[in-house]
Each structure stands twice: as C-alpha cells, then as structure tokens.
Amino acid sequence: KFGPSEGGSIITVKGTGFYDSGGKKFKFESEFGEREMNASWDRKEKVYTCKTPPLSWYFGGKSPTNEMLAKAKENPVKLRLTLNGQNWIWVGYFEYYDAIVDRLSYDLSYGEGLTEEEANKKWLEEQPLPPPLTDPAALKAQQDEEQKRIDEENEEFSTTYRRTGTKFYIWGSKFRKSSSIKVRFVFEGKSYFADGIFKNERKIACTIPDMADIPVGDQKVFVDVSFNGQQFTNFGKVLLYQSHDR
C-alpha cells in the first residue's frame, strides 16, 4: 500500500474474527517517530479503515526539512492495529511517495505501420528506460535531441485542440506501477476519469475519454493522475479539448 506524503490515503484491513471495539486504533511507526490514528469499523464489510497521517506528523511536532522528508520516504512505515489499546496486531507496511508531473504530449504516431491488434499490444506494454550513457559526448547529443523533441511536443500540445479518443502521455518522475492508476480530467468543477497505463517511472499513457456534456467548442481541461486510485496530483497541467456536437 502506498500514498502521497500529504496523508489522507485510506487504509483498509481485512481478516477473520474482526469485530467492533471502542479501543480500535492504528499505529504508524517510522524511524523518526510514530503516530496513532483512530480506526473506523465497516459493519457491512467487516473491515477496519483508517486515513494515513501526513508524513510531517512523524517528527514530534518539529518542522522537518526537505532532506528529512526525503530520508523518511526511503523506507516504508510499519502499520499495527489494536482493539483494546494494549495489544497491537501486525498489519503490514505503508509507503509514502510523491510523484511529479512535468508535462503532457500527444502520441501522433499511434498505430502507424501496425495492425489494430499490434497497436493495442504496444500501447499496453511497458517501456523500460534505457541504461544511461557514460560517454559525455554521446550523452550531450542525446540530451540535445531529447530537448528538441520535448520543445516540439510542448508546442504541439499547447496549441492544438484534440478530440475524444486521442492518445497522449503524462511525463514526470517517481511514477509508481499500480493497477489503480487513474487520470482525472476537470472542467469547471466536474471530473471525468480514464485509466492510466504505466509505461515506466517517467511516463504514463492515457486516452482522452468522452466528456459528452462539455459545451461544444475548444475548451481547456485540467489533467491530474493518481497512482493509488484515491489521491490525485495537482500540477495544473492543461489539455486543449475539442468538444463536438453529437
């Protein structure tokens, strides 16, 4: 289980012999400190739930530096449960992480030279990052070529409106492989969702969903991504969406 360091991820614990108790609590333990959080009982599902504390709460009331927070994220915290306030049951680990979104780009060559089956297979496949170059001259040439490509992609993305079904990528760092990756599209306070496809720790693939009730015309839609299916990034990235009459 993992979630961002701002806290608020919902932990669900399933098992046998569970029952409601006035003394139920979760304990989160890290090398920098620990926090106890109240647990909730879902009578229908017979599970305990709890929201994770912010990572900054583990430092005993002190204001942690960025270096301290980075160090705290290197190892997962231990999670325990008590029903009586005395005996603690081992539950598992929780890992804090913070993904960074840098930019968005279209995939304008999707399916070129491929059958529909081949194109779909390639779209769903992971793309491991290549090993870093060690030769300084080759590395400089690679970086220059990559920056040129990025500039061209940024120009295309910031000036062209695209319709439902267009393939695009979310670029950044510290992305997490997960079956719960969701991409959120927000227009005037209303959210629309699509599945995200993990390509590597710097790249997520997605398809613009049908946002049928957005007014016809060229519109600006904000895009966020979640790796735990609960909490979304908030980097203010904008997609130019062309909503058409149906």
Side-chain angles (χ1 to χ4, degrees):
K1 193 73 175 181
F2 57 86
S5 59
E6 66 189 38
S9 300
I10 298 176
I11 299 290
T12 300
V13 177
K14 302 177 181 180
T16 58
F18 283 0
Y19 59 93
D20 195 8
S21 166
K24 57 186 180 298
K25 284 187 176 183
F26 282 94
K27 182 189 290 185
F28 295 79
E29 303 173 345
S30 81
E31 61 180 297
F32 296 93
E34 60 184 45
R35 295 291 301 201
E36 292 184 11
M37 302 291 288
N38 290 330
S40 297
W41 169 249
D42 188 320
R43 185 170 59 180
K44 181 180 179 180
E45 299 295 331
K46 302 289 193 234
V47 298
Y48 301 109
T49 62
C50 174
K51 287 188 176 181
T52 60
L55 185 61
S56 59
W57 285 14
Y58 293 89
F59 294 86
K62 300 178 182 178
S63 296
T65 63
N66 290 335
E67 290 75 15
M68 293 168 68
L69 291 172
K71 179 67 175 177
K73 285 186 283 188
E74 291 180 359
N75 298 303
V77 299
K78 299 174 182 178
L79 184 58
R80 303 181 192 275
L81 168 70
T82 183
L83 301 180
N84 58 14
Q86 299 180 19
N87 302 316
W88 294 90
I89 306 166
W90 169 257
V91 172
Y93 292 99
F94 181 84
E95 186 175 355
Y96 287 95
Y97 83 100
D98 290 291
I100 298 172
V101 175
D102 295 325
R103 64 187 185 91
L104 311 176
S105 74
Y106 295 121
D107 182 350
L108 300 180
S109 61
Y110 173 79
E112 285 186 359
L114 302 174
T115 65
E116 182 177 350
E117 181 179 352
E118 291 170 339
N120 185 62
K121 180 180 178 182
K122 183 178 179 181
W123 178 249
L124 297 175
E125 287 177 345
E126 292 185 32
Q127 296 177 342
L129 292 172
L133 297 176
T134 56
D135 178 71
L139 178 60
K140 179 64 165 58
Q142 182 189 62
Q143 291 173 336
D144 290 344
E145 183 65 27
E146 182 177 7
Q147 188 58 55
K148 179 181 178 181
R149 175 181 58 81
I150 289 174
D151 291 342
E152 292 173 350
E153 290 176 347
N154 287 344
E155 175 70 17
E156 171 73 22
F157 204 90
S158 64
T159 58
T160 307
Y161 288 79
R162 296 287 174 177
R163 292 187 174 189
T164 295
T166 301
K167 310 290 187 183
F168 74 100
Y169 297 111
I170 301 170
W171 298 86
S173 58
K174 301 180 182 178
F175 290 170
R176 297 295 301 264
K177 183 177 180 179
S178 165
S179 60
S180 302
I181 298 176
K182 293 291 182 183
V183 180
R184 181 176 66 183
F185 304 78
V186 181
F187 178 77
E188 295 186 349
K190 183 170 182 178
S191 296
Y192 309 81
F193 300 91
D195 291 334
I197 301 168
F198 180 85
K199 307 300 280 186
N200 55 55
E201 55 265 37
R202 292 178 52 198
K203 185 178 181 181
I204 298 296
C206 187
T207 303
I208 298 177
D210 186 6
M211 297 179 275
D213 50 351
I214 289 183
V216 173
D218 294 340
Q219 310 291 355
K220 293 183 178 181
V221 178
F222 289 93
V223 178
D224 306 307
V225 60
S226 172
F227 294 89
N228 64 2
Q230 300 179 28
Q231 296 149 292
F232 288 82
T233 57
N234 185 25
F235 288 90
K237 301 304 177 183
V238 174
L239 180 147
L240 304 180
Y241 180 65
Q242 186 179 73
S243 181
H244 58 282
D245 198 5
R246 288 159 176 80

